[in-house]
Amino acid sequence: MMRGMTGVVFWVLVFPVLVFLVLAACVPAPPAFAHSLLLRASPAVGGTITRAPTELRLEFSETLDLDHFEVQVIDPSGRQLLLGAPVPVQSGPENRGRPLNSIVRIALLSDPAEPSPALPGTWQIRWRLVSLDGHESEGSFRFTLVAGPGH
Amino acid sequence: MTITTSTDRARPGRPNLRRNDRGKIGPGDGIATCLAFGIAIALTGLAPSANAHGRAGARFFPSTIAIEDPAVADELTLPIFSRFNGAREIEGEYSRRLARFFSVSIEAGRTREAEDGEILSGFENIETSFRYQFLTSAKHETILSAGLGIEWGGTGSARLELAPYNSWAPTLFFGKGLGDLPENLRYLRPLALTGQAAYVIPGRRIAEDGDPIASEFNGGFTVQYSLSYLNSQIRGLALPGFFARLTPVTEFSFAKAVHRGEGESVTGTIQPGFFWIGKYFQLGAEAVVPLNDRSGRRTGFALQAHFFLDDIFPGTIGKPLWGRTK
């Protein structure tokens, strides 16, 4: 049984690592732009807030190419909001271990030609990015703004 | 009169094309092979717009163990290690895109089993498959593809008594994410279904002992629930890194021999498990539960390591041989 377990450990744990190391050693490491996952957001994915958001914060699993990163914010009336340019959040103690430029902050701008208060209801965020190797990642989520003391 | 079929013993891993049959090889195998290549090359000119690497919109379909995922991609599965029905098997598969939505893959494996008190070990017949991804819908998180699998008879170890003739398996694949469910069912949106259906045609109809060789229906489906989809699309749970990349899966595989309209009993497996999807590779682990007594009597397991070559080597072997990436 021990002999069988040794074989399992080799083929399941050691062998794939060896294959990966051989593959990785054969060519220079590519830029860290594989498919990116959205890990956290503020306002939170599926969350509820009581104050109108003034900025969006998105945290991804990989470094972002900000030249190929698109975000849309749509309020409950279906209006697409004006947004500032995405700004990478600088590394700090709270971001330790995160890839460089994987967290961005995006300001929600008010339109001088059409000022309107933030509407309570369901807001939608859509994002899309293309990595340097051509891989696309996209997603969307919602949060709810409810009328509160600060609204 | 007995009918020798491949469903005498269910196997985990991919639904097998054919085993334990014997027959004679003729010139028809070569003509059919050339025809398959010709059709494959002709299809490389067709290219619907979509993403590769198992993605349709916000949905990612992992490469599962028993049932193929529906996408074409540049990838390496090495190994799939399984233990079931007294046999241990190690398999590997390499897939390369010839064009953006057309791929060819080659699969090989080695088996060690006990039969009538004797230990038999050796290599399985090599299998090749061609696949064309003809529909991808990002909005509906859907992928459809079609392919042709070929088991090359006589390429495996003689002691395993594998089929000496080729077998052909036209196959359909699908993948559907449930991200378009209504808002009141949003917690079901991380669910996805994938599946495949194949009809295996043996290259010969009569075995060496004079018994007819049956065709076979095989296939199955998977039910998946993506925690990363839940976390990024539905409800931010701030999951720890390991759990944020987990996808619990249950696979169901079936096989049924058919001879002149007469069916035999179904064999298959149910394989609950999970996949961890990393940046450059994924790992999978499943229990293998026999569907019925004919399929086996004890639960086994299957383990997988799978590498995303289009992410590891995007400029070389991780891109289509011909045509643009996008």
Side-chain angles (χ1 to χ4, degrees):
Chain A
M1 182 178 176
M2 285 302 297
R3 187 175 171 185
M5 286 303 297
T6 301
V8 172
V9 168
F10 173 78
W11 286 109
V12 172
L13 295 178
V14 176
F15 186 74
V17 172
L18 291 177
V19 171
F20 182 72
L21 291 176
V22 170
L23 291 175
C26 288
V27 294
F33 289 147
H35 289 291
S36 194
L37 299 175
L38 178 67
L39 299 179
R40 288 183 190 82
S42 176
V45 174
T48 300
I49 56 177
T50 57
R51 297 173 68 91
T54 57
E55 73 170 19
L56 194 63
R57 177 183 164 117
L58 302 176
E59 181 177 339
F60 292 90
S61 59
E62 312 301 332
T63 299
L64 302 178
D65 177 5
L66 296 181
D67 291 334
H68 298 89
F69 177 62
E70 300 170 6
V71 175
Q72 294 178 344
V73 178
I74 301 167
D75 73 8
S77 70
R79 182 173 65 107
Q80 186 171 328
L81 271 64
L82 290 176
L83 303 176
V87 176
V89 174
Q90 297 304 313
S91 296
E94 71 279 8
N95 302 326
R96 195 185 308 277
R98 302 298 315 133
L100 189 65
N101 289 352
S102 64
I103 307 173
V104 292
R105 188 181 289 138
I106 303 156
L108 274 61
L109 306 175
S110 57
D111 184 351
E114 195 178 330
S116 59
L119 295 173
T122 301
W123 293 53
Q124 187 171 11
I125 312 297
R126 296 176 187 164
W127 58 268
R128 182 174 177 272
L129 61 92
V130 179
S131 57
L132 285 182
D133 56 11
H135 288 132
E136 297 179 10
S137 299
E138 64 180 79
S140 65
F141 65 90
R142 303 180 183 202
F143 65 88
T144 302
L145 174 64
V146 298
H151 182 66
Chain B
M1 181 173 72
T2 58
I3 301 171
T4 46
T5 74
S6 64
T7 55
D8 289 346
R9 180 173 64 79
R11 292 171 55 201
R14 309 295 160 78
N16 53 292
L17 292 177
R18 182 143 305 274
R19 290 200 62 190
N20 296 329
D21 296 332
R22 300 197 65 80
K24 297 178 182 176
I25 302 172
D29 288 344
I31 295 173
T33 303
C34 291
L35 185 61
F37 272 102
I39 294 174
I41 292 171
L43 287 175
T44 58
L46 303 176
S49 63
N51 300 333
H53 192 108
R55 285 196 167 269
R59 177 72 54 178
F60 172 74
F61 297 102
S63 179
T64 45
I65 293 176
I67 304 301
E68 299 261 3
D69 70 280
V72 300
D74 304 293
E75 55 194 13
L76 172 68
T77 302
L78 186 67
I80 294 177
F81 179 87
S82 60
R83 190 162 188 167
F84 183 63
N85 279 340
R88 282 185 288 178
E89 189 168 347
I90 292 178
E91 297 173 276
E93 182 178 7
Y94 171 59
S95 175
R96 177 69 193 271
R97 285 184 293 167
L98 301 181
R100 189 176 164 202
F101 297 103
F102 183 80
S103 70
V104 61
S105 67
I106 183 167
E107 181 179 337
R110 185 173 175 87
T111 295
R112 185 177 186 274
E113 61 187 41
E115 190 167 309
D116 299 329
E118 181 184 359
I119 301 295
L120 298 175
S121 65
F123 288 96
E124 299 276 351
N125 282 341
I126 292 173
E127 296 179 18
T128 305
S129 63
F130 303 92
R131 191 188 309 185
Y132 178 61
Q133 183 174 328
F134 59 87
L135 185 145
T136 306
S137 170
K139 180 181 178 182
H140 296 292
E141 300 180 355
T142 300
I143 293 178
L144 296 177
S145 60
L148 177 66
I150 306 168
E151 179 179 338
W152 303 101
T155 54
S157 298
R159 69 178 73 93
L160 295 180
E161 296 188 348
L162 302 170
Y165 53 86
N166 297 347
S167 292
W168 310 82
T171 309
L172 287 176
F173 307 88
F174 77 90
K176 175 74 178 79
L178 302 191
D180 49 3
L181 286 178
E183 182 66 18
N184 61 335
L185 298 176
R186 60 186 179 277
Y187 285 99
L188 296 181
R189 288 176 180 167
L191 281 171
L193 303 173
T194 67
Q196 67 182 70
Y199 185 69
V200 183
I201 305 166
R204 284 296 171 263
R205 289 296 183 180
I206 305 295
E208 283 188 355
D209 56 8
D211 290 333
I213 301 172
S215 301
E216 180 181 281
F217 285 109
N218 68 43
F221 63 94
T222 77
V223 181
Q224 316 172 0
Y225 193 88
S226 170
L227 295 185
S228 65
Y229 192 104
L230 172 69
N231 188 57
S232 66
Q233 302 276 110
I234 308 302
R235 183 76 177 184
L237 301 175
L239 296 172
F242 175 80
F243 293 97
R245 292 177 176 273
L246 276 185
T247 298
V249 174
T250 299
E251 302 190 62
F252 302 83
S253 71
F254 314 96
K256 183 180 173 69
V258 179
H259 173 67
R260 293 180 183 172
E262 300 170 8
E264 293 203 350
S265 55
V266 174
T267 59
T269 59
I270 301 172
Q271 300 181 207
F274 64 88
F275 291 83
W276 181 86
I277 316 297
K279 181 173 159 182
Y280 296 123
F281 64 93
Q282 70 174 50
L283 302 174
E286 294 179 345
V288 182
V289 182
L291 184 66
N292 47 34
D293 286 345
R294 185 171 159 79
S295 305
R297 293 189 178 275
R298 288 194 301 180
T299 297
F301 66 87
L303 304 164
Q304 176 215 65
H306 178 88
F307 300 91
F308 308 130
L309 298 183
D310 53 348
D311 285 322
I312 300 174
F313 306 112
T316 54
I317 62 173
K319 66 176 185 178
L321 200 57
W322 297 296
R324 295 177 297 120
T325 300
K326 67 183 301 312

